[in-house]
Amino acid sequence: MKLRTLLFYSFLFVLLLNCAEKNNAYDVRDFGAKGDSLTINTRFIQKAIDACSKQGGGKVSISNGTYISGTILLKNNVTLHIAENAKLVGSSNPLDYKNIDKFIDATGQERGNCLIGGVDVSNIGISGKGVIDGNGKAFLFENIKQKIEELNIDISQREKFGRNRPFLIRFVRSDTITIEDVSLRQSAAWTCHFYQSKTIKVNNINIYSHAHQNNDGIDLDSSSDVLITNSHIDTGDDAICIKATSNKPTYNVNVENCKLKSDWGAIKFGTESMGDFYNISIKDCEIYNTKGGGIKLLSVDGANIYNIAIENIRMDNVDMPLFIRLGERLRTYRGANKNKVGSIRDIRIKNVSAIAQGFENSRVSSPSGIFITGTPNHKIGSVSLRNIDIKIPGSRDDLVLQKVEEQETMYPEYSFFKTLPAYGLYARHMDSLELSNVNFKLINKDQRKEVIFEDVYYKNVK
């Protein structure tokens, strides 16, 4: 009798468990969605998300087909699951998108539209081995022009129509976020933007974004407690970007075992840099075929950058492997007051091997390995470089060197300083530079000096 009772309750437990799992799983097709590459599924997917959250949360599944959608907003305790046999594709109609937490970015453009978003939500996620495609080419000028005619947009609205290109994924003031396994493709602007959010895990994702301009991969903006691992990111703009478009800091960030490629910068701090950046670790990463800088640490809007550890980085065919800049641009965002000039200190970079890009593809006439510069009135603090090996292609035969301007208030881009007078390391305006086993090897001849220090206190250590 006891055995029968035990078996009965065991069976009941399993039955209830299965029912609970079933009740927590929502298929968007049950809410009217169609994976036919034609139907605009925004309201159907949103209904599934809302129903899931209202019942306490669970998983909303998209499977078997290509689903077109405008902005969908995740709600508390909901994971959006894109199955391996499914694609979620952004609508080509700008009117299908919502602007969440509008702001003006560093290029002066209005931002905030997105395909997948969330504001003030928690315990949310995106999973699955499927594809989320932003359909970014639909927002190219010629295609927007065609859309204007197709939709007969009022002439008074035409100038702004389609200008707020949607991010692929955007979470604002949210926490406990997981993005795992999915492929993210061809955003019309930034691919992933986390603003004033925390407890973020990104693992094993694949980003490919070259459809438009400003195609950043992952932007951590005034956010904290972040882990990015085991991901491959190939972008037209910055691959992983630490930034702050508010006075709140970005901190407690770990990036590990990622493969990065970019047409602008692979790992970048800034340029938007109102809030501080600290307690950040980047290690065991590969950077390849990158045209605009391997590692770039930039404080120009008042950020204090400190306690940064970067180690075990391998770079191949990378223009300017390391660029560190403290500047005085002091741009503001979201109506904030202007900051004082920030600082850069306690930067530890070690175990880096790099092959610089050849001058045929470089953004300067003759490439260099490392460029570190403060300003005459604001010096960079402590920077430690250990076990650094960089191969440099050499200089052009017709190289003519010019004075390296200070450019204190300009946009902080190494190429704007033109060709540097040193092929290995050029550093200036620094309080403390510590070097240990830093080596530069020329592939071909170079008429410049290997290392130049100007207004720098430095020491070589074992």
Side-chain angles (χ1 to χ4, degrees):
M1 190 69 175
K2 291 183 178 179
L3 180 59
R4 285 185 178 181
T5 303
L6 180 61
L7 289 173
F8 171 78
Y9 282 111
S10 297
F11 171 77
L12 183 62
F13 174 78
V14 171
L15 182 63
L16 291 173
L17 182 63
N18 287 336
C19 289
E21 289 178 349
K22 185 176 181 180
N23 290 337
N24 287 335
Y26 295 76
D27 190 320
V28 296
R29 293 172 296 184
D30 294 337
F31 293 81
K34 296 179 181 179
D36 58 6
S37 301
L38 297 172
T39 303
I40 304 300
N41 290 289
T42 313
R43 63 191 180 98
F44 307 124
I45 298 173
Q46 192 64 57
K47 280 184 179 180
I49 291 170
D50 293 348
C52 180
S53 181
K54 188 176 181 179
Q55 294 300 315
K59 182 168 68 175
V60 172
S61 294
I62 294 177
S63 61
N64 296 304
T66 298
Y67 295 76
I68 310 299
S69 180
T71 300
I72 53 178
L73 300 177
L74 293 189
K75 302 296 179 63
N76 289 338
N77 306 313
V78 173
T79 293
L80 183 65
H81 184 82
I82 315 296
E84 191 170 8
N85 57 9
K87 288 178 69 173
L88 177 66
V89 179
S91 169
S92 62
N93 185 353
L95 299 178
D96 287 333
Y97 295 89
K98 294 180 181 178
N99 193 328
I100 61 172
D101 192 58
K102 180 175 68 175
F103 74 105
I104 305 299
D105 74 0
T107 67
Q109 299 180 76
E110 181 180 302
R111 300 294 193 197
N113 284 359
C114 61
L115 177 57
I116 301 172
V119 180
D120 298 317
V121 291
S122 64
N123 192 27
I124 54 176
I126 300 171
S127 67
K129 296 185 178 180
V131 174
I132 303 173
D133 190 317
N135 193 18
K137 288 186 178 180
F139 291 82
L140 294 171
F141 174 77
E142 59 269 24
N143 294 326
I144 286 295
K145 186 177 179 181
Q146 182 177 339
K147 203 72 178 179
I148 287 173
E149 300 302 323
E150 177 187 325
L151 298 174
N152 194 26
I153 299 298
D154 186 273
I155 193 167
S156 64
Q157 303 297 318
R158 292 187 177 192
E159 185 178 348
K160 292 185 177 181
F161 185 79
R163 294 283 294 274
N164 189 338
R165 293 176 279 122
F167 297 167
L168 196 69
I169 296 169
R170 184 163 193 254
F171 295 118
V172 176
R173 296 186 303 274
S174 299
D175 70 87
T176 315
I177 304 165
T178 300
I179 302 179
E180 198 160 24
D181 297 331
V182 293
S183 291
L184 308 178
R185 299 181 60 81
Q186 302 296 52
S187 178
W190 301 349
T191 305
C192 296
H193 181 217
F194 301 95
Y195 176 66
Q196 291 188 355
S197 295
K198 63 183 180 180
T199 317
I200 301 163
K201 177 185 176 184
V202 178
N203 179 56
N204 194 38
I205 69 168
N206 187 299
I207 295 177
Y208 180 87
S209 193
H210 291 268
H212 213 298
Q213 298 177 349
N214 315 114
N215 285 139
D216 289 15
I218 298 175
D219 290 89
L220 305 175
D221 185 350
S222 296
S223 293
S224 64
D225 303 313
V226 183
L227 178 62
I228 302 173
T229 56
N230 308 313
S231 295
H232 185 192
I233 304 174
D234 180 350
T235 57
D237 213 319
D238 305 318
I240 295 178
C241 191
I242 311 294
K243 62 175 60 182
T245 61
S246 76
N247 282 316
K248 291 189 176 182
T250 296
Y251 63 98
N252 293 352
V253 176
N254 287 277
V255 178
E256 300 178 10
N257 195 34
C258 290
K259 189 174 183 179
L260 309 173
K261 175 182 178 294
S262 171
D263 291 342
W264 201 250
I267 297 169
K268 188 168 88 169
F269 292 51
T271 61
E272 297 99 326
S273 47
M274 287 194 67
D276 295 346
F277 307 142
Y278 59 90
N279 297 354
I280 298 173
S281 169
I282 300 169
K283 65 181 181 179
D284 302 322
C285 291
E286 177 185 350
I287 300 171
Y288 70 102
N289 296 347
T290 290
K291 300 177 181 179
I295 299 169
K296 305 162 82 168
L297 277 62
L298 316 171
S299 171
V300 293
D301 299 326
N304 298 295
I305 303 179
Y306 59 95
N307 194 20
I308 310 298
I310 301 173
E311 61 183 298
N312 303 334
I313 309 294
R314 183 161 57 91
M315 306 188 206
D316 186 18
N317 195 33
V318 172
D319 202 20
M320 186 61 74
L322 177 59
F323 176 42
I324 301 177
R325 169 61 160 165
L326 174 61
E328 304 172 19
R329 182 178 68 171
L330 301 182
R331 178 169 288 177
T332 62
Y333 309 87
R334 306 168 187 272
N337 294 325
K338 185 175 291 189
N339 284 336
K340 296 180 180 179
V341 177
S343 64
I344 299 178
R345 66 184 189 277
D346 192 15
I347 310 297
R348 306 178 303 280
I349 302 174
K350 67 179 183 180
N351 302 336
V352 174
S353 65
I355 301 174
Q357 198 166 60
F359 56 72
E360 300 87 351
N361 298 311
S362 175
R363 290 201 164 114
V364 294
S365 66
S366 296
S368 298
I370 301 174
F371 181 23
I372 306 175
T373 180
T375 70
N377 294 319
H378 297 91
K379 294 184 180 181
I380 290 174
S382 54
V383 175
S384 171
L385 305 178
R386 292 176 174 265
N387 303 326
I388 312 290
D389 290 287
I390 301 178
K391 291 183 180 179
I392 310 295
S395 65
R396 294 181 180 273
D397 293 334
D398 59 353
L399 175 63
V400 177
L401 293 175
Q402 300 176 355
K403 179 183 177 182
V404 181
E405 301 293 340
E406 294 291 349
Q407 300 189 27
E408 296 100 322
T409 61
M410 299 295 289
Y411 186 94
E413 189 52 63
Y414 71 88
S415 59
F416 297 169
F417 292 90
K418 302 179 180 178
T419 299
L420 301 178
Y423 66 80
L425 166 62
Y426 177 57
R428 65 181 182 181
H429 310 313
M430 297 186 68
D431 281 332
S432 176
L433 175 60
E434 181 180 279
L435 306 175
S436 176
N437 192 29
V438 176
N439 302 295
F440 304 98
K441 181 179 179 181
L442 282 172
I443 298 173
N444 297 298
K445 64 180 181 179
D446 198 309
Q447 59 184 285
R448 298 171 294 170
K449 295 181 179 179
E450 180 180 66
V451 175
I452 293 178
F453 299 117
E454 296 178 359
D455 187 26
V456 173
Y457 175 80
Y458 72 94
K459 62 180 178 178
N460 289 299
V461 298
K462 292 182 178 180

